[in-house]
Amino acid sequence: QFLYFIAGWMQRAAKMEVTGINNKPGSHVILQEEEDAPVVTINTGRIEGAKIFFVELCERLGFFGLNAVLSPYVRDKLSWGQHQAAGITNFFSFTAYFACIIGGWLADNKLGRKKSITFGCFIYLVGLCMVTVNTWVEFMGDSPVIFSIGLALVGFGTGGIKPSIAPIYADQQTFKNEESRSSSFRWFYWGINIGASVGTSVTPLLHSEERYWSSFLMPTVAVFIAFVTFQYFKKGFRDNNPITTTQSKEIWSILKLRFKEKIPLNQIPHTHPELSTTLVDLRQAAIASKVFLFFPIYWIAYNQGFTNFVW
């Protein structure tokens, strides 16, 4: 469907007269070739969503492509043992996912999603360049210090992108019903899995025992493409408004009432009605969080595929 849409767009672009345009993301653009021709209506949110789809595909290719060769590189080039290689790979994953907490807070409270993704992608790219150059330029001799700093930057850069990319994708679109929402995110997750699959499959094939720079170069190029694409199109993306100081104070007030003053949550709307809306949001978040209780078990097993099962 995506390729079909692009082909149709390119075919009409040279000769279509655009009328009745609403430039807001998620709006509809009415295109008409001639006066008596049928009107074609296009949801511009899908166009913006397709751009973010491509950005996420490239970013995931970079992340999983790098992750797939970390353990062999640490063993072969840095001459560290299997336990150290597994530790480095797991610490990289920990840094990337822990940084998402910081990145999500900054995107929601200070920067907005577009700035968070921009800064995160830039830091990400600098880290990948350090890792790649460290394995490419002979005089550096595969420095563990430069490699570690680059890896840490990649982890923190991921934290700037990952919490915001799916929400900003959703922000661009207007969903008619739950089915259209599910269909849209199925395409988005296809992008994630295609990028992860290509990165995990291809980068291990590019290196030899004496040459790892080609394996690191591929993720670097992928993230560079993601960065350039997002920078070029970001002006057209709808952004979120960071949480106001008042909302932040409301959240802290609820936590204070519950844990310090021991007021049950169901009593807070009666004693402090101004906190009702924020309380509903927090309750929904708490209910949704129950899904994640079993995730640590899954990830412990999953990460073995990048550490102890890699030789």
Side-chain angles (χ1 to χ4, degrees):
Q1 290 180 8
F2 175 73
L3 294 176
Y4 178 81
F5 168 77
I6 293 297
W9 175 267
M10 293 176 65
Q11 186 178 9
R12 296 185 182 95
K15 57 180 180 179
M16 278 195 175
E17 213 176 283
V18 181
T19 60
I21 295 181
N22 182 344
N23 288 325
K24 293 182 180 180
S27 62
H28 290 77
V29 177
I30 301 175
L31 301 175
Q32 190 170 14
E33 296 184 10
E34 300 174 359
E35 186 176 350
D36 298 329
V39 175
V40 179
T41 303
I42 296 177
N43 186 342
T44 59
R46 292 185 178 180
I47 302 174
E48 307 306 320
K51 298 168 186 175
I52 296 172
F53 165 95
F54 181 73
V55 170
E56 176 66 351
L57 186 153
C58 292
E59 188 276 326
R60 289 291 86 185
L61 191 156
F63 180 84
F64 282 95
L66 173 66
N67 205 29
V69 292
L70 278 183
S71 189
Y73 173 78
V74 171
R75 288 198 317 267
D76 296 342
K77 300 299 288 183
L78 300 184
S79 301
W80 295 351
Q82 175 64 27
H83 292 297
Q84 289 85 347
I88 288 290
T89 306
N90 286 329
F91 185 75
F92 167 67
S93 298
F94 166 78
T95 303
Y97 290 108
F98 178 78
C100 289
I101 301 174
I102 303 173
W105 183 86
L106 288 173
D108 287 341
N109 293 274
K110 300 294 182 181
L111 301 177
R113 294 184 182 119
K114 288 200 291 189
K115 286 185 179 180
S116 178
I117 293 173
T118 297
F119 291 144
C121 207
F122 178 75
I123 295 171
Y124 198 140
L125 187 58
V126 170
L128 279 172
C129 287
M130 291 181 66
V131 171
T132 304
V133 171
N134 184 53
T135 60
W136 195 354
V137 181
E138 295 297 332
F139 66 84
M140 285 190 174
D142 295 297
S143 167
V145 175
I146 296 176
F147 174 76
S148 301
I149 294 173
L151 210 58
L153 289 176
V154 172
F156 283 108
T158 303
I161 300 172
K162 198 58 185 168
S164 299
I165 196 72
I168 202 172
Y169 174 81
D171 287 344
Q172 310 314 307
Q173 305 182 57
T174 302
F175 302 107
K176 296 180 179 179
N177 49 48
E178 187 60 34
E179 177 57 32
S180 65
R181 182 193 301 272
S182 299
S183 176
S184 177
F185 273 93
R186 277 196 295 270
W187 281 104
F188 182 73
Y189 293 133
W190 264 109
I192 294 175
N193 287 294
I194 290 171
S197 299
V198 172
T200 304
S201 303
V202 175
T203 52
L205 302 177
L206 297 177
H207 76 81
S208 64
E209 291 186 1
E210 299 299 325
R211 186 187 66 184
Y212 272 84
W213 65 263
S214 54
S215 289
F216 292 125
L217 181 62
M218 180 180 171
T220 305
V221 171
V223 174
F224 175 77
I225 293 172
F227 178 69
V228 172
T229 301
F230 190 82
Q231 288 299 108
Y232 185 79
F233 292 115
K234 71 177 183 180
K235 288 184 179 179
F237 295 156
R238 178 187 297 166
D239 200 2
N240 67 310
N241 293 319
I243 295 176
T244 63
T245 304
T246 302
Q247 289 172 307
S248 299
K249 287 181 177 178
E250 288 179 355
I251 294 173
W252 286 113
S253 296
I254 291 172
L255 296 176
K256 181 180 178 181
L257 290 170
R258 176 64 186 91
F259 295 104
K260 188 175 181 179
E261 300 184 18
K262 307 299 182 181
I263 299 177
L265 290 177
N266 58 355
Q267 297 298 320
I268 292 178
H270 302 290
T271 57
H272 300 78
E274 71 279 3
L275 301 177
S276 297
T277 302
T278 305
L279 182 62
V280 170
D281 292 340
L282 289 176
R283 183 180 286 115
Q284 290 176 341
I287 294 173
S289 297
K290 295 178 182 178
V291 177
F292 304 119
L293 291 177
F294 299 100
F295 275 25
I297 300 173
Y298 166 78
W299 285 110
I300 288 172
Y302 175 85
N303 281 335
Q304 302 307 307
F306 295 100
T307 55
N308 293 319
F309 294 162
V310 177
W311 296 96

